[in-house]
Amino acid sequence: MPASSELPLSGLLASPTRFLFFTGKGGVGKTSMACASAVALADRGLRVLLVSTDPASNLDEVLGVSLSSVPTAVPEAPGLSALNIDPAAAAHAYREKLVGPFRGKLPDALVRSMEEQLSGACTMEIAAFDEFSRLLGDPRSTVGYDHVIFDTAPTGHTLRLLSLPGAWSGFIDANPAGASCLGPLSGLEAQKAIYAQAVASLSDSARTTLVLVSRAQRAALTEARRTSHELSLLGVNHQRLILNGLFHAAGIDPTAQALEQRERSALAGAAAFLEPLAPSHVPLRATNLVGLAALRALTSAPAAAEPKAQESSVATLPTCGTLSDLVTDLARQGHGVVMTLGKGGVGKTTIAAAIATELARRGFKVRLTTTDPAAHVAAAVGDGTGVVVDRIDPHEETRRYAESVLGSTGTQLDADGRALLEEDLRSPCTEEIAIFRAFARTVAQGRDEFVILDTAPTGHTLLLLDATESYHREIARKASDLPTEVRELLPRLRDPDFTKMVVVTLPEPTPVHEAAMLQTDLRRAGIEPFAWVINQSLSGCGTQDPLLRERAAGETRFIREVAEGLARRTIRVPWVLQDPVGAGGLAQLFPDPAITPPG
C-alpha cells in the first residue's frame, strides 16, 4: 500500500483555493476531512467559513458546538465559523420569499394553492440550494472570509445539487410565465445572476477545488470515479482526492492482514483513476475524529502519538442477536417489505443484500431494489442467489410519469392548457414525483413477495417519506386519478406486519447519533423500527492488532448505547475476513453451519 512521509492533508492545504468542496460516498469521512482542513487553515490565522449542505449534517458533533443557519464562531479555533443549511428552515424562508408578496393582493385560495405547491421535498432541496448558491455566487455573503469550505451531502444528492444551477436557469429561460413547485418563476428572475455566478465559481479552477474523499474500498472508489467523471461533465475539473482511513497491519494477525489486503486490492483495481489525482493519504486512527484536539492531531501529529484506549471494556458487551435471528423473525410473515435505513456508508446495501439472499435461500420469493441514486445493490448480491434485483431508475420513471399525465389529464386540455402542462412536466421537480410514485408501487409488491428496499442515506430517505402528503396534493393537481398504491403507502409503511424498518449503524458516535435522530423522526411519523443492526463490529473478532484492538475497545460504549438505550431489538454483525460481496461473501454474515448456504 502506498505510503507518504508528508503529514495528512499537507499537500491539499499548501495553496488552497478560496472554495473547497468535500464530497464522496456516504461514510468515507467527508465531514472529518472538511473539519480538519478548516481548523488547520484557521490555525494559520486565516478566516474560514465551514458550511454543511447535508440534510443529515453532523458538524455540530465533530466540532463540539451547537450550530444554526447563521455563521457561529467555533470556540478554541479563532477565525473559524460554521453553519448548517437547515433544509426545513430554508424551505420556510423560501416559501415566504416567493409567496409573501402576493398576500393581500391575490385571493386567499390562490395563495394557499401556491403554498401547497411549495410544500414538497423538491422545494426543500431547492431552498437549501438557494442558500448554497448565495454563499457561492454572491461575493457579499462571504466577504469576511478568506476561505469557504463546503461539507457536501452524500454523492447522489451532491451531484443533483451541483447540476441544478444550469437546469433551473434553463427552465426559467424557457418558461418565463410558468409556475411549478419552485413557485412563480417570475419571482426567481432575480436569482438568475446568482445562479450563473455559482456555476462560474464551480468551474473556475483558480477559485474552486473539488475534494473527493474515499476509503480504500471497491464501492467507495467506484463511487469516487463516477463522481469525478460526472463533475467533469459539469465543468468542475479542478479535483483532488483524499484516501482516508488507510490501514497497515502491525503483524500477522489474520483480521489485520485481511483488512490491509482488501484495501491493497481495491487500490490496485483503481490505480488508473487514482494516479492523475495524486491522492493525499490519511491513516486509520485508533479513535474517532470528534473534537478539535482530534482534528488538530490529524494534520499535526502521527497516528502513533494517540492515547491508548482501555481494552478491558470489550468484555462488557451487552447480549445482541445475530443476523440469522433477524431473518428467522422476518421469514415468519412470509411476505412484506423490509427497509434498511441509516447514515451513508454504514453498510445498508450489504445488510439488505444479506437479508435478501438468505430469505431466497430459505425458499421465499424475494425482490431487492433501491431508491438510492448511488446504488450498488447488483454488485453486492452477485449472481446465482435467486434474488430479483432492480432499481428505481430516475430517467425511466420520469419519462413514464410524464407520458401517463399527458395521456390522462393532458387529453382533457385545450392546446394552450396542454402546452402549460408540458412546461410544468419539464420542471426538475417532476423527477421527484415520478420516483416517489415508483417507490409506492414497489412497496405495494410486498403483498405477494418479500421486497427488500435498500434506501437512500438518512436525509434523502426522510425527504422521501415526508413527501407523502404533499405528493398526494401534487399528483391530484396534475393527474386525473390517484393510484391505489399511493393512497395506501402511508398505512403500509406504518403497519408493522407489512413493513419492517431496520436501522443500520456502525459502532461509532456519528452513525449511532444520526440513527437515533432518524428513529425519532420515524416515530413522529408513526413508524416504529423493527430492529437496529450494528454492522462491521471489531469487538469479539479476536484481533490482536494494537490499533484494531483500540478501535474494538472504543466500540463498547456505542454498542451499549444502542442495545440498552435506543433499540428495542439489537443485532450485531461482526467484521468478516472476506469482503461481504456475492453469495460467498454474504454467507459469512450467517456463521451458523445449519443455515450457511453451500459454497
Side-chain angles (χ1 to χ4, degrees), residues 502-568:
V502 178
V503 177
V504 184
T505 187
L506 299 177
E508 299 172 5
T510 298
V512 166
H513 297 156
E514 289 196 10
M517 289 188 287
L518 167 61
Q519 177 167 263
T520 298
D521 288 329
L522 289 173
R523 286 174 172 170
R524 190 178 298 120
I527 299 170
E528 181 62 35
F530 180 69
W532 282 52
V533 172
I534 301 174
N535 195 27
Q536 299 176 21
S537 173
L538 288 166
S539 303
C541 74
T543 180
Q544 297 301 309
D545 182 89
L547 189 147
L548 296 185
R549 284 179 65 85
E550 288 185 52
R551 290 190 65 87
E555 293 180 358
T556 303
R557 166 188 169 191
F558 304 106
I559 294 174
R560 293 181 67 89
E561 185 175 347
V562 171
E564 298 176 359
L566 291 170
R568 294 188 174 183

Side-chain angles (χ1 to χ4, degrees), residues 479-491:
S480 58
D481 63 324
L482 190 65
T484 300
E485 59 263 23
V486 175
R487 288 198 304 268
E488 297 179 353
L489 177 60
L490 261 183

